[in-house]
Amino acid sequence: MDNEADVFYRELPKVELHAHLNGSVSVRTMEKLISRKPHLNVEHSMTAIGKGQRRTLDECFQVFKVIHQLVDTEEDILMVATDVIREFAADGVRYLELRSTPREGINTGLTKKRYVETVINAIQQCKNEGVDIDVRFLVAIDRRNGTEVAMETVKLAEEFLLSSDGLVVGLDLSGDPKVGHAKDLLPALHKAKNCGLKLSLHLSEVPAQQEESDLLLNLPPDRIGHGTFLHPEVGGSQSLVDKVLKNNIPLELCLTSNIKGQTVPCYSKHHFKYWYQLGHPSVICTDDKGVFCTDLSQEYQLAATTFGLSREAVWKLSQQAIDCIFAPETMKKQLKQKWTDLQHQVFQ
Ligand SMILES: CC(C)=CCNc1ncnc2c1ncn2[C@@H]1O[C@H](COP(=O)(O)O)[C@@H](O)[C@H]1O
Ligand SMILES: [Zn+2]
């Protein structure tokens, strides 16, 4: 990891709503994966972007190709998911929504259904071990794979929405934002919404996607991933901003991801400032804690130091994230109680 956050940020109870499973693999877990598959000749520099390093978005997506080669069996997925959940818990994350794109393998016999079941098993295993975190799962659509796969993914997610004891709560749309067009995915996204899956959509992650963002905002989604180029100052438009505000759609904001992926020039120019000043629900997240060598404590600390937030403001930020979770009201209540119980300890 690039740095370790101060005690306050580590002890702060946190909600993580934007974490891609295979982007969240730590160095420690990566070592285990590499030793399982020495023939792939993978080095650490191929799976993570260190301090001060920047990559183009295309280069970042190459990193996922390498990680996917390393994580291709049920056993790998189980290990990765349990490790990632334990690491978030150790960082003070008390509620986590993980997202991942189901993959299948011709050689490994892995199916997309088994993929989702394995992640669910990992969540249950951590619960049984008493890891202090509640975890939910969003099934991800990779936009590169087009209409048909998107529709299949929605069907799979719907199946699990009904059979996973509330662990699968929604759908994510992600993948290389420059590939494909969301209009081809609208029927699948509408279907998802109609069957009760919550929607978190990556949108306006890169410039000049107003038309696509407008279509997606009309659904409307339940949360937005990044939304970097929605506002007029960066080439978006007031009408896009108005749609977000009118529907009160929370934003998932990932500072280090955007800096290292070069969609934002520096921390102080991050769009957190724009939305936070509007008082709009903005949730600090990691995106890919493994690839970007960060954790949620560090992201909160970066937001606080960059934008001059007091400890009280940081506390409020983490507490308000509870209202943006996809799990039902009872979970929100439980989490709010947890925050109240911990407040004294964190501020002592
Ligand atoms: C390249 C870059 C700056 C990354 C951050 N921004 C992202 N934008 C869109 N999709 C993403 C991003 N990070 C991860 N993903 C998605 O998450 C996948 C990895 O996690 P998983 O295999 O779904 O478990 C990637 O293949 C991609 O589909
Ligand atoms: Zn993302």
Side-chain angles (χ1 to χ4, degrees):
M1 212 169 4
D2 288 350
N3 287 309
E4 181 157 283
D6 295 344
V7 175
F8 171 76
Y9 299 95
R10 284 189 271 131
E11 288 195 345
L12 178 75
K14 293 170 287 293
V15 165
E16 168 66 83
L17 299 181
H18 190 134
H20 300 272
L21 178 61
N22 286 296
S24 302
V25 185
S26 64
V27 173
R28 220 186 111 254
T29 307
M30 205 51 87
E31 265 160 20
K32 293 190 272 180
L33 290 165
I34 290 174
S35 69
R36 278 182 183 184
K37 297 187 174 70
H39 56 281
L40 291 176
N41 287 321
V42 173
E43 286 167 26
H44 280 298
S45 59
M46 297 156 81
T47 60
I49 304 165
K51 193 173 184 171
Q53 290 182 5
R54 306 268 192 280
R55 302 275 172 92
T56 64
L57 222 52
D58 289 342
E59 286 165 344
C60 291
F61 280 101
Q62 289 300 321
V63 173
F64 294 118
K65 274 198 187 150
V66 178
I67 300 174
H68 284 158
Q69 282 186 307
L70 285 166
V71 184
D72 70 343
T73 67
E74 237 174 272
E75 227 188 325
D76 298 334
I77 297 159
L78 187 70
M79 178 178 78
V80 163
T82 48
D83 282 3
V84 165
I85 292 169
R86 288 187 196 119
E87 288 156 2
F88 273 115
D91 185 40
V93 174
R94 295 289 156 251
Y95 176 87
L96 163 68
E97 282 175 20
L98 264 183
R99 55 186 78 192
S100 193
T101 326
R103 280 176 291 132
E104 58 200 350
I106 307 148
N107 303 324
T108 54
L110 182 70
T111 63
K112 291 186 180 182
K113 189 169 179 181
R114 210 49 216 136
Y115 187 104
V116 178
E117 280 168 356
T118 308
V119 177
I120 290 174
N121 286 346
I123 296 173
Q124 283 164 338
Q125 198 174 308
C126 290
K127 190 89 207 151
N128 295 341
E129 284 170 15
V131 183
D132 186 12
I133 187 169
D134 279 290
V135 186
R136 297 294 180 269
F137 186 54
L138 312 182
V139 181
I141 293 177
D142 184 335
R143 48 184 293 149
R144 170 183 53 168
N145 296 333
T147 314
E148 236 169 82
V149 174
M151 196 54 97
E152 274 171 32
T153 308
V154 170
K155 284 185 188 146
L156 189 69
E158 189 181 0
E159 246 179 85
F160 281 101
L161 177 70
L162 302 170
S163 67
S164 64
D165 248 343
L167 293 182
V168 171
V169 287
L171 198 79
D172 154 72
L173 173 65
S174 54
D176 189 338
K178 291 181 192 141
V179 182
H181 197 290
K183 70 173 181 307
D184 302 326
L185 309 172
L186 282 178
L189 297 174
H190 272 293
K191 183 175 157 58
K193 205 174 159 64
N194 289 338
C195 74
L197 287 159
K198 300 276 189 182
L199 297 184
S200 169
L201 310 180
H202 284 64
L203 63 86
S204 280
E205 190 180 356
V206 293
Q209 297 197 321
Q210 291 97 306
E211 190 201 324
E212 183 185 277
S213 294
D214 193 55
L215 281 177
L216 292 173
L217 285 174
N218 286 341
L219 278 158
D222 299 281
R223 288 198 313 252
I224 292 167
H226 302 296
T228 314
F229 295 93
L230 284 172
H231 53 298
E233 285 86 337
V234 285
S237 72
Q238 191 57 43
S239 92
L240 291 175
V241 171
D242 288 343
K243 279 191 187 179
V244 176
L245 296 178
K246 186 173 142 262
N247 291 299
N248 201 30
I249 313 171
L251 267 84
E252 304 154 355
L253 301 176
C254 316
L255 279 73
T256 299
S257 163
N258 298 154
I259 306 303
K260 289 194 173 176
Q262 298 189 76
T263 52
V264 172
C266 58
Y267 283 98
S268 61
K269 296 220 167 92
H270 195 276
H271 49 297
F272 172 85
K273 188 174 178 185
Y274 179 89
W275 294 98
Y276 187 74
Q277 280 177 345
L278 285 175
H280 187 75
S282 309
V283 185
I284 304 273
C285 302
T286 54
D287 209 6
D288 298 289
K289 74 172 181 63
V291 172
F292 298 118
C293 306
T294 189
D295 60 24
L296 194 54
S297 303
Q298 208 182 136
E299 294 302 303
Y300 268 90
Q301 184 165 352
L302 280 163
T305 50
T306 307
F307 301 106
L309 311 180
S310 66
R311 289 185 167 199
E312 287 70 23
V314 172
W315 177 269
K316 216 169 147 192
L317 199 57
S318 94
Q319 195 175 37
Q320 284 173 344
I322 298 171
D323 286 317
C324 306
I325 70 171
F326 285 166
E329 216 45 51
T330 47
M331 177 58 68
K332 289 185 188 172
K333 262 204 178 136
Q334 276 179 39
L335 291 172
K336 284 178 186 172
Q337 187 60 51
K338 219 175 217 181
W339 261 241
T340 305
D341 294 346
L342 286 165
Q343 188 160 16
H344 185 70
Q345 187 188 319
V346 175
F347 279 96
Q348 74 185 357

